[in-house]
Amino acid sequence: MPDQTHVEASADLRIPVIDLGPYLADEAGALERTAQALGAACEEIGFYFIANHGVQQSYIDRVFVEAERFHSLPLERKMAVKALDQPIGYLPLGGQTQRAEKYGQRSQHPDRSASYYIREEYPADHPDRLARKPWVFDNRWPDDLPGFREGLVAYFDAMSALMRKLLPLQSAALDLGADYLPSHEAFQPMNCTLRLIHYPPRVAENAGQYGIGPHTDFGYTTILAQAKKPGLEILTRSGEWIPAPAFDGMFLVNNSDMMQLWTNDRFRSAPHRVFNLEGDERLSIPFFVSPRWDVKLACLPTCQGPGNPPRYAPMSREEYQAELHRTVYKLPGKSDAAE
């Protein structure tokens, strides 16, 4: 773990650092202490770093190498695995631009980033594939890139296991008991996506161009392996954009919209944006976790009560995705006055 004094000075105490080591070692009282710290971060800013998380550094290093290998391929080879009707495969430069009106003036230029996405691998004989479950997809793997698939699948599996370790902490932080969320049908199975993002060198004449424009994440939780270059900024509750440093060996975790909806706004889904501030290339590797698409999430029992009724109608991830096509990142169910 990096020197704590340096970490706190660099982050200016705005983004909490949570050490998972004692909790993962099953030390007495560590689950409760860690959950309390996680809950405070989720309620205040919606982002936090995790240290001593148990994911091998070699897995993290390798996925950055694989991301660079893929994005360095000739365009025609990347386009051979272009994303079609789902975000699986390659999304070329300018292929996605966030609608940023809610969080400030929209840039005149498309977002300057390209991405490659994979979802969970389901073998041919897996019961969910045989039953044609809606969360089973086929990844679009590039040809003639030895080791690429194996490296990404190993990392995907490690991150899925890490998320399974975070669920009891989130559950305890919400006063639900450590087993409530891990055993909930919304995570049987989890719906995860790994995204390899490439930010090319910025174009000096395109003033104000985003790498990724201001937005909130749509799912439940995001775990980010961030490159050692500045760029990610978070909007605080007071309306200030603050930079998120990149710490060796740590992940940056943030809440997403479905978590905010499920917790009745108790856990914040924070807007964030990315600029490529330096002259060269930048990579980041977010791992997105969503609940199962077909499970309706009704306000959690510990997030409502007298004077605090549910703000949102029960909604599934699939229904929320459809709502996003009709709104500009407005959490459905809230009145205009509440926005």
Side-chain angles (χ1 to χ4, degrees), residues 274-292:
V274 179
F275 292 103
N276 191 357
L277 300 175
E278 299 184 354
D280 53 2
E281 298 178 345
R282 182 178 183 273
L283 296 168
S284 68
I285 316 292
F287 183 79
F288 301 105
V289 180
S290 283
R292 218 176 76 187

Side-chain angles (χ1 to χ4, degrees), residues 7-338:
V7 167
E8 291 182 352
S10 298
D12 194 29
L13 297 179
R14 307 296 293 276
I15 306 171
V17 176
I18 299 175
D19 184 358
L20 297 187
Y23 159 66
L24 295 179
D26 202 23
E27 293 184 9
L31 185 150
E32 293 77 12
R33 292 192 302 272
T34 309
Q36 183 178 20
L38 183 148
C42 287
E43 291 181 15
E44 176 54 34
I45 189 169
F47 274 78
Y48 52 93
F49 290 100
I50 53 174
N52 297 317
H53 43 68
V55 178
Q56 296 180 30
Q57 186 62 43
S58 61
Y59 283 17
I60 302 170
D61 293 341
R62 180 172 180 181
V63 79
F64 274 105
V65 169
E66 299 299 349
E68 186 172 7
R69 288 177 69 203
F70 175 82
H71 285 293
S72 298
L73 291 173
L75 180 59
E76 61 270 18
R77 289 188 60 188
K78 292 182 287 189
M79 292 298 287
V81 293
K82 183 181 178 182
L84 302 175
D85 58 336
Q86 293 287 336
I88 300 171
Y90 179 61
L91 198 64
L93 191 66
Q96 182 181 49
T97 295
Q98 302 290 343
R99 294 184 295 172
E101 294 91 339
K102 184 175 179 180
Y103 308 112
Q105 184 176 1
R106 184 174 180 176
S107 173
Q108 297 179 355
H109 310 285
D111 289 357
R112 189 165 171 78
S113 60
S115 298
Y116 176 78
Y117 300 81
I118 70 164
R119 305 286 289 275
E120 185 168 354
E121 294 268 271
Y122 286 87
D125 60 350
H126 192 283
D128 287 356
R129 181 177 287 279
L130 295 175
R132 299 183 182 274
K133 295 295 187 181
W135 51 81
V136 177
F137 299 95
D138 291 315
N139 288 316
R140 297 175 59 77
W141 297 105
D143 294 330
D144 302 322
L145 202 60
F148 179 77
R149 179 175 185 166
E150 293 77 7
L152 265 60
V153 169
Y155 183 76
F156 193 106
D157 291 345
M159 298 303 288
S160 296
L162 174 59
M163 187 63 215
R164 287 288 178 191
K165 296 170 184 175
L166 291 180
L167 281 173
L169 293 173
Q170 295 172 336
S171 194
L174 291 164
D175 308 307
L176 294 164
D179 295 332
Y180 184 93
L181 290 179
S183 62
H184 198 283
E185 63 175 341
F187 301 112
Q188 313 305 324
M190 297 186 298
N191 179 8
C192 302
T193 302
L194 176 62
R195 182 180 183 184
L196 314 182
I197 308 178
H198 173 238
Y199 302 94
R202 67 175 185 172
V203 178
E205 57 268 27
N206 290 356
Q209 184 174 32
Y210 297 112
I212 295 179
H215 66 286
T216 55
D217 291 346
F218 310 144
Y220 175 77
T221 296
T222 302
I223 309 174
L224 175 67
Q226 193 176 190
K228 299 177 183 179
K229 297 177 182 178
L232 177 64
E233 298 179 348
I234 302 164
L235 186 65
T236 67
R237 287 188 179 276
S238 64
E240 177 186 3
W241 287 101
I242 63 171
F247 295 132
D248 289 343
M250 293 193 192
F251 290 119
L252 183 61
V253 184
N254 64 276
N255 306 327
S256 303
D257 290 354
M258 293 303 294
M259 178 184 282
Q260 181 171 318
L261 182 154
W262 206 6
T263 63
N264 211 26
D265 292 344
R266 178 173 170 180
F267 279 8
R268 180 179 186 242
S269 179
H272 48 287
R273 65 189 183 186
V274 179
F275 292 103
N276 191 357
L277 300 175
E278 299 184 354
D280 53 2
E281 298 178 345
R282 182 178 183 273
L283 296 168
S284 68
I285 316 292
F287 183 79
F288 301 105
V289 180
S290 283
R292 218 176 76 187
W293 280 61
D294 60 343
V295 175
K296 285 184 179 289
L297 303 185
C299 181
L300 291 167
T302 56
C303 298
Q304 58 179 298
N308 184 32
R311 298 170 174 83
Y312 310 103
M315 180 171 291
S316 69
R317 178 66 173 84
E318 183 176 23
E319 290 169 334
Y320 183 60
Q321 183 72 32
E323 184 70 17
L324 291 173
H325 293 295
R326 298 189 292 270
T327 63
V328 182
Y329 304 155
K330 173 184 175 181
L331 282 171
K334 295 181 77 172
S335 68
D336 292 339

